[in-house]
C-alpha cells in the first residue's frame, strides 16, 4: 500500500512539474504574432553633442545651457558673441565662463569701414582681441555679400580683395570662420504664392532678395553670392571655413560635396537646414555624410532673445513657443539617426513637406555630433565634474 501511495505522489509531482514548465516556457516557445508596426517612439543616440551654431544673449546663457542639457546637447558655440573691446564680446564670454564653459563664443567684427584707410589694421587687431578675450572662432553674417553698401551703391562682396588680409589673419590665429553667405534660393525668386517659402517671406518681407534694392540697383542672384563665397574659400587655403546652413547650398548637396572634395579647408554645418536637406534622396545624402565624415558638423541655429523668445530654425511673425523645443530637437536627431520615412521636419514654416532620415552609422554620428567640432575648434566637452 505504501509503495502504491509513493507512486501516486510521484506521478502527481511529475504532472505538476509538467504543467509548471508548460506555463513558464510556453510564452517563449509559442510562435509570436509580429508586433503591430505603429510609430516607434524615437530615442536619441547616447552620444555627446556640440551645437556649433546657436544665438544666445548673455542674459539668457544660463537658461539656454539648461535647455541644451535637457535636449542632449553638451556644449554650444554662440554665433552672437559680439565684437571685442566694448562690442559685447567681454560680457558674453563672462556669461559663458559662468556656466562652466558649456557655452563658447564666436566673435563678430564690423565690415562696414572697409573703404577707410585703417580698415585692415582695425580688422586684424579686432581678430587679435577676439582670440585674447577667448572667442573660439569668427562668425560672419549674410550681410557680407548682401548688406554692406559701398559709396558707389554696390554691395561689399565676400571675395573683395581688401578683405584678403583679414581672412588670412583669422587663419594665422587659428580662428575658424563660420560664414553665412546668401540665403535659401527661394528668397531670390519672386515672393508670390507659388514660391515654396511664401509663408516665411510673407511673415518677413525683408528677407526677399528678389528685384531691386532700396537704392534702385538690383540684388545679386543666389549664384553670384555663392560664387563669391567659393572664391573666398579658394583664396584663403590657410583659413578654415565652416560653411553655415549646409555650406550655404542645402538645395544642392552635390555642389557641397564637390566643394568639400575640392577645398580641404572647407567644413560645413547643418543649422536650420534639416527641412531642406531632408528632401534630398536619403541614400545619397548618407553617402555624402560618410565620405566627408570628418568635415560635416552639427548645428541647429537655435535662437533665444533677451526676453526669452525662441526661434527654432526659423519662425513666422511671432516667436516659437517653448513647447516646440522638444519636437525641434527630436525631429532634427531623428533625421540624422534613423531611416524613418516621411516624417515632419523640425521647422514647419520652412515648407510644407516631409523628410526622410539618413540613418548615419554610429561612428559617423560620433564625428558629426562632437569629434569634428573638438578638432576644428581645439576644444573638449567639459567633464561632468567641471560643470556648475
Ligand atoms: Zn544663425
Amino acid at each position: 500500500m505504501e509503495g502504491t501511495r509513493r507512486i501516486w505522489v510521484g506521478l502527481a509531482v511529475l504532472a505538476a512539474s509538467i504543467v509548471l514548465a508548460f506555463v513558464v516556457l510556453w510564452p517563449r516557445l509559442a510562435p509570436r504574432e509580429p508586433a503591430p508596426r505603429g510609430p516607434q517612439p524615437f530615442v536619441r543616440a547616447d552620444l555627446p553633442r556640440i551645437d556649433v551654431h546657436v544665438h544666445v544673449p548673455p542674459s539668457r546663457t544660463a537658461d539656454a545651457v539648461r535647455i541644451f542639457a535637457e535636449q542632449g546637447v553638451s556644449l554650444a558655440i554662440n554665433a552672437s558673441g559680439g565684437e571685442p573691446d566694448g562690442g559685447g564680446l567681454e560680457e558674453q564670454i563672462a556669461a559663458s565662463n559662468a556656466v562652466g564653459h558649456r557655452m563658447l563664443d564666436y566673435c563678430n567684427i564690423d565690415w562696414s569701414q572697409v573703404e577707410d584707410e585703417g580698415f585692415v589694421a582695425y580688422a586684424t587687431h579686432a581678430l587679435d582681441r577676439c582670440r585674447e578675450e577667448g572667442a573660439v572662432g569668427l562668425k560672419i553674417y549674410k550681410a557680407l555679400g548682401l548688406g554692406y553698401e559701398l559709396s558707389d551703391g554696390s554691395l561689399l562682396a565676400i571675395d573683395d580683395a581688401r578683405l584678403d588680409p583679414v581672412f588670412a589673419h583669422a587663419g594665422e590665429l587659428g580662428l575658424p570662420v563660420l560664414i553665412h553667405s546668401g540665403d535659401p534660393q527661394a528668397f531670390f525668386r519672386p515672393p508670390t504664392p507659388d514660391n515654396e517659402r511664401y509663408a516665411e517671406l510673407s511673415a518677413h518681407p525683408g528677407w526677399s532678395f528678389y528685384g531691386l534694392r532700396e537704392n534702385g540697383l538690383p540684388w545679386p542672384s543666389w549664384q553670384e553670392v555663392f560664387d563669391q563665397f567659393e572664391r573666398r574659400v579658394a583664396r584663403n587655403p590657410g583659413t578654415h571655413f565652416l560653411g553655415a546652413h549646409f555650406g550655404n547650398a542645402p538645395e544642392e548637396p552635390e555642389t557641397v560635396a564637390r566643394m568639400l572634395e575640392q577645398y580641404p579647408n572647407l567644413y560645413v554645418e547643418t543649422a536650420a537646414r534639416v527641412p531642406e536637406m531632408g528632401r534630398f534622396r536619403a541614400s545619397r545624402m548618407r553617402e555624402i555624410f560618410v565620405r566627408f565624415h570628418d568635415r560635416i558638423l552639427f548645428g541647429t541655429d537655435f535662437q533665444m532673445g533677451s526676453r526669452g523668445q525662441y526661434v527654432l530654425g526659423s519662425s513666422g511673425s511671432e516667436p516659437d513657443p517653448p513647447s516646440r523645443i522638444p519636437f525641434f530637437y527630436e525631429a532634427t536627431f531623428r533625421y540624422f539617426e534613423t531611416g524613418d520615412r516621411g516624417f515632419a521636419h523640425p521647422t514647419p514654416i520652412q515648407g510644407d513637406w516631409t523628410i526622410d532620415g539618413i540613418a548615419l552609422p554610429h561612428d559617423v554620428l560620433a564625428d558629426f555630433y562632437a569629434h569634428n567640432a573638438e578638432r576644428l575648434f581645439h576644444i573638449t566637452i567639459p567633464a561632468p565634474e567641471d560643470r556648475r
Side-chain angles (χ1 to χ4, degrees), residues 53-55 79 139 141 178 180 245 271 301 303:
H53 188 157
V54 303
H55 297 272
K139 164 70 197 291
Y141 291 99
L178 173 62
H180 176 180
H245 309 303
D301 219 355
Q303 297 183 37

Side-chain angles (χ1 to χ4, degrees), residues 19-332:
V19 169
L20 188 67
F22 189 77
V23 166
V24 170
L25 289 176
W26 175 251
R28 297 176 200 193
L29 297 176
R32 218 180 277 182
E33 283 289 305
R37 288 282 301 167
Q40 302 295 305
F42 171 77
V43 180
R44 65 177 183 244
D46 183 18
L47 284 168
R49 293 172 179 77
I50 300 174
D51 185 339
V52 300
H53 188 157
V54 303
H55 297 272
V56 178
S59 62
R60 292 288 167 180
T61 297
D63 293 336
V65 161
R66 204 172 306 123
I67 292 168
F68 298 152
E70 281 166 14
Q71 302 302 329
V73 174
S74 315
L75 173 62
I77 315 186
N78 184 7
S80 296
E83 295 174 24
D85 294 317
L89 183 62
E90 295 80 9
E91 201 188 345
Q92 180 55 55
I93 298 253
S96 297
N97 290 347
V99 294
H101 303 279
R102 280 174 293 161
M103 178 126 44
L104 296 169
D105 299 283
Y106 297 90
C107 72
N108 313 116
I109 67 171
D110 179 11
W111 302 93
S112 66
Q113 308 305 313
V114 64
E115 292 176 293
D116 292 1
E117 186 99 2
F119 172 72
V120 169
Y122 149 76
T124 52
H125 177 70
L127 290 179
D128 290 337
R129 296 289 302 131
C130 288
R131 175 99 270 176
E132 286 160 15
E133 291 188 14
V136 297
L138 169 68
K139 164 70 197 291
I140 298 180
Y141 291 99
K142 68 183 169 190
L144 183 58
L146 288 169
Y148 295 109
E149 197 172 289
L150 303 176
S151 46
D152 66 356
S154 67
L155 291 168
L156 175 60
I158 303 158
D159 62 333
D160 189 300
R162 288 169 287 193
L163 309 184
D164 292 358
V166 185
F167 282 96
H169 196 56
E172 287 156 13
L173 292 172
L175 285 174
V177 179
L178 173 62
I179 180 165
H180 176 180
S181 303
D183 238 359
Q185 293 183 353
F187 291 3
F188 293 79
R189 299 187 191 120
T192 48
D194 62 336
N195 188 308
E196 65 178 12
R197 306 289 279 262
Y198 184 61
E200 217 175 359
L201 288 167
S202 301
H204 310 277
W207 290 2
S208 173
F209 299 113
Y210 175 75
L212 301 181
R213 290 153 48 211
E214 256 173 44
N215 68 3
L217 294 173
W219 286 109
S221 66
W222 181 90
Q223 191 65 53
E224 283 170 321
V225 179
F226 188 80
D227 290 346
Q228 293 174 14
F229 163 62
E230 176 164 0
R231 288 193 294 268
R232 173 52 66 200
V233 173
R235 182 111 43 99
N236 292 94
T239 303
H240 287 137
F241 289 90
L242 178 54
H245 309 303
F246 203 55
N248 296 304
E251 299 92 340
E252 300 185 10
E254 298 298 353
T255 300
V256 177
R258 195 254 312 151
M259 282 189 57
L260 286 167
E261 201 74 64
Q262 205 168 336
Y263 306 106
N265 59 324
L266 178 65
Y267 296 71
V268 302
E269 59 89 22
T270 58
R273 294 298 181 269
V274 166
E276 192 64 54
M277 296 165 67
R279 292 209 278 182
F280 192 71
R281 193 157 48 91
S283 58
R284 175 60 184 143
M285 190 60 103
R286 186 180 200 264
E287 282 173 11
I288 292 172
F289 269 71
V290 170
R291 168 81 181 86
F292 301 103
H293 67 93
D294 53 351
R295 285 194 286 141
I296 305 179
L297 282 69
F298 169 61
T300 65
D301 219 355
F302 171 98
Q303 297 183 37
M304 199 167 175
S306 54
R307 294 189 311 282
Q309 52 300 36
Y310 301 99
V311 177
L312 304 169
S314 178
S315 70
S317 38
E318 293 297 316
D320 287 311
S323 56
R324 242 179 52 68
I325 292 173
F327 170 78
F328 174 72
Y329 284 97
E330 180 175 317
T332 299

